[in-house]
Amino acid sequence: DTGVSQDPRHKITKRGQNVTFRCDPISEHNRLYWYRQTLGQGPEFLTYFQNEAQLEKSRLLSDRFSAERPKGSFSTLEIQRTEQGDSAMYLCASSSGTVTTASTDTQYFGPGTRLTVL
Amino acid sequence: AQKVTQAQTEISVVEKEDVTLDCVYETRDTTYYLFWYKQPPSGELVFLIRRNSFDEQNEISGRYSWNFQKSTSSFNFTITASQVVDSAVYFCALSGRNSGYSTLTFGKGTMLLVSP
């Protein structure tokens, strides 16, 4: 059973450019989560999907951020018009939970995509 | 609102020493889960343990042990006979019923450095 994978692992971009990250969850995991981690901090929740439905979005997710999970498999996180403050590690996690089993859920994380905005 | 505090920013020990990482949490949920994750230099968060709020029994897994005390809202993690491979950042996290257990609130982490 392969783990959560993320692509790319590193991304360097110039301010104002758009970037897109991809996350492939553990096979058959229903839930997929995005977190952001800045230097010296713990991960902060951004959004999550139950299958293809985006059920919750954090206030951290500004209008420049959009996430999708078509067909309930892989997910993409796009940042438009990047700013230097967007520089961070973007972590994806997946879990097998459903609405009724969420209390016993464990999130498994991928290696992250490190974004640097120049 | 939920909050997790890991007051120790960095701990340095010599191999074979025991070390305890502290975690204090705040939540209004009556049902919640506590977690510990390890983040080695490679960056990937590795799941270590999940504990629910109704189970205050201590848990031991090899050299790792966890002490959950609801009265002090603490969930501390002890590594016995530390090894160089234990060097990493360790995060304590919390999920609660009010958020549908869907989001993890993390502390800022404790960096553990184990020297030979």
Side-chain angles (χ1 to χ4, degrees):
Chain A
D1 187 21
T2 57
V4 177
S5 60
Q6 293 186 244
D7 184 69
R9 295 291 308 276
H10 302 274
K11 178 70 177 180
I12 299 174
T13 191
K14 293 182 179 179
R15 189 177 55 183
Q17 298 293 305
N18 299 343
V19 294
T20 300
F21 310 141
R22 176 181 170 124
C23 171
D24 287 90
I26 293 172
S27 179
E28 298 182 359
H29 270 191
N30 300 308
R31 290 188 163 194
L32 187 148
Y33 310 78
W34 286 99
Y35 289 81
R36 182 174 69 185
Q37 184 179 20
T38 54
L39 201 61
Q41 303 294 316
E44 296 173 293
F45 170 78
L46 293 178
T47 188
Y48 92 96
F49 293 83
Q50 177 79 46
N51 299 313
E52 66 274 9
Q54 188 173 16
L55 295 188
E56 190 169 342
K57 291 194 289 187
S58 160
R59 287 174 295 176
L60 292 176
L61 213 64
S62 76
D63 292 343
R64 297 183 297 105
F65 288 69
S66 63
E68 294 182 341
R69 193 184 182 196
K71 302 178 183 178
S73 55
F74 71 91
S75 176
T76 58
L77 177 68
E78 181 183 16
I79 309 174
Q80 296 183 328
R81 305 180 303 281
T82 52
E83 301 173 355
Q84 288 185 326
D86 297 331
S87 296
M89 175 80 88
Y90 290 84
L91 294 164
C92 177
S94 71
S95 70
S96 58
T98 65
V99 173
T100 54
T101 65
S103 63
T104 58
D105 219 10
T106 295
Q107 297 180 28
Y108 296 92
F109 285 80
T113 294
R114 183 169 295 282
L115 172 66
T116 301
V117 181
L118 302 175
Chain B
Q2 298 180 146
K3 185 178 179 182
V4 175
T5 301
Q6 295 180 255
Q8 304 150 310
T9 305
E10 185 174 320
I11 300 176
S12 293
V13 299
V14 177
E15 212 170 15
K16 297 184 183 177
E17 285 186 19
D18 299 347
V19 58
T20 295
L21 310 181
D22 297 334
C23 172
V24 174
Y25 63 91
E26 297 174 31
T27 180
R28 294 177 183 171
D29 288 314
T30 55
T31 305
Y32 51 89
Y33 284 79
L34 295 162
F35 301 78
W36 276 94
Y37 284 85
K38 173 182 179 180
Q39 188 174 43
S42 60
E44 184 168 342
L45 281 162
V46 177
F47 167 74
L48 296 178
I49 190 172
R50 180 185 71 234
R51 169 67 74 210
N52 83 52
S53 54
F54 295 110
D55 182 1
E56 290 193 65
Q57 282 191 335
N58 291 337
E59 181 155 343
I60 298 174
S61 176
R63 295 184 297 108
Y64 295 170
S65 62
W66 290 269
N67 180 265
F68 175 31
Q69 293 198 344
K70 213 167 178 178
S71 60
T72 55
S73 297
S74 66
F75 186 44
N76 296 338
F77 173 30
T78 297
I79 302 175
T80 303
S82 59
Q83 300 176 2
V84 172
V85 292
D86 295 327
S87 296
V89 181
Y90 290 85
F91 290 96
C92 181
L94 168 71
S95 73
R97 183 176 180 176
N98 283 341
S99 65
Y101 307 106
S102 59
T103 64
L104 289 172
T105 299
F106 285 85
K108 292 187 176 183
T110 297
M111 178 177 288
L112 175 64
L113 299 172
V114 183
S115 55

